[in-house]
């Protein structure tokens, strides 16, 4: 007759202690782990967020860009956004010069149209809520791939 081994309560205790010791060796004690409470908003500073919000909420973005020089911190933003802002500024200056030379009124606004589309996307996605728009803008600034997708670059 084959012999069967019976597991006694002493064997269970030894197995449990062995498993507990191996687990403690592999993972740090919970009281030594850093505590991080989740926050609904990312609090890392974003360069020129106030400038971008003022620009995107201005009734005439081209005039705002022309009247207000780009702050140095703008150049810390993702390159697609920086180049778009520079293009809008150059477009505005070019159109002003062309308007003075000829009165035909044919002006090009491809960069400004792209900036308006970006503003419309932000406004629509945030349901016209400025707080939600700021959160979305911050997320796009921190995610170059999604920003490039939205800007179409």
């Amino acid at each position: 007759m084959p012999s069967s081994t019976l597991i006694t309560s002493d064997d269970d205790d030894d197995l449990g202690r062995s498993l507990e010791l191996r687990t403690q060796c592999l993972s740090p004690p919970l009281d030594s782990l850093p505590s991080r409470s989740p926050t609904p908003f990312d609090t890392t500073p974003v360069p020129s967020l106030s400038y971008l919000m003022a620009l995107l909420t201005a009734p005439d973005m081209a005039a705002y860009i022309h009247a207000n020089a780009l702050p140095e911190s703008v150049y810390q933003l993702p390159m697609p956004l920086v180049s778009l802002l520079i293009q809008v500024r150059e477009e505005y200056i070019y159109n002003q010069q062309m308007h003075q030379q000829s009165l035909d009124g044919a002006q090009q606004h491809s960069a400004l149209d792209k900036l308006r589309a970006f503003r419309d996307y932000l406004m629509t996605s945030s349901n016209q809520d400025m707080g939600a728009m700021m959160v979305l803008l911050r997320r796009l600034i921190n995610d170059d791939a999604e920003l490039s997708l939205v800007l179409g670059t």
Side-chain angles (χ1 to χ4, degrees):
M1 181 162 223
S3 70
S4 63
T5 56
L6 294 172
I7 299 177
T8 63
S9 64
D10 290 337
D11 291 336
D12 284 340
D13 289 342
D14 289 339
L15 184 61
R17 283 190 202 121
S18 172
L19 183 59
E20 184 177 337
L21 288 174
R22 280 191 277 164
T23 304
Q24 286 177 352
C25 290
L26 295 175
S27 64
L30 293 177
D31 59 349
S32 69
L33 292 175
S35 172
R36 294 189 181 167
S37 60
T39 57
F41 302 109
D42 185 11
T43 57
T44 56
V46 173
S48 295
L49 188 60
S50 59
Y51 176 82
L52 285 174
M53 286 299 293
L55 169 67
L56 293 170
T57 56
D60 186 359
M61 291 189 297
Y64 183 88
I65 272 193
H66 181 69
N68 299 294
L70 294 175
E72 286 295 318
S73 58
V74 164
Y75 298 102
Q76 296 173 3
L77 293 170
M79 190 48 90
L81 193 54
V82 172
S83 63
L84 179 62
L85 295 175
I86 291 170
Q87 286 173 359
V88 169
R89 186 173 180 84
E90 290 173 353
E91 239 178 42
Y92 183 83
I93 293 169
Y94 175 77
N95 286 333
Q96 289 296 325
Q97 290 172 352
M98 292 306 292
H99 183 70
Q100 290 174 356
Q101 292 175 1
S102 69
L103 297 176
D104 62 3
Q107 297 180 350
Q108 296 179 346
H109 294 291
S110 62
L112 184 58
D113 291 340
K114 192 180 277 192
L115 186 62
R116 284 184 184 133
F118 181 60
R119 175 179 61 185
D120 292 345
Y121 169 79
L122 291 171
M123 293 291 240
T124 304
S125 297
S126 64
N127 292 323
Q128 311 292 328
D129 179 9
M130 292 302 127
M133 183 175 161
M134 189 177 296
V135 171
L136 178 60
L137 184 59
R138 181 186 304 266
R139 189 185 85 218
L140 288 172
I141 288 170
N142 290 328
D143 186 355
D144 290 344
E146 188 176 359
L147 178 65
S148 293
L149 244 165
V150 170
L151 290 176
T153 56

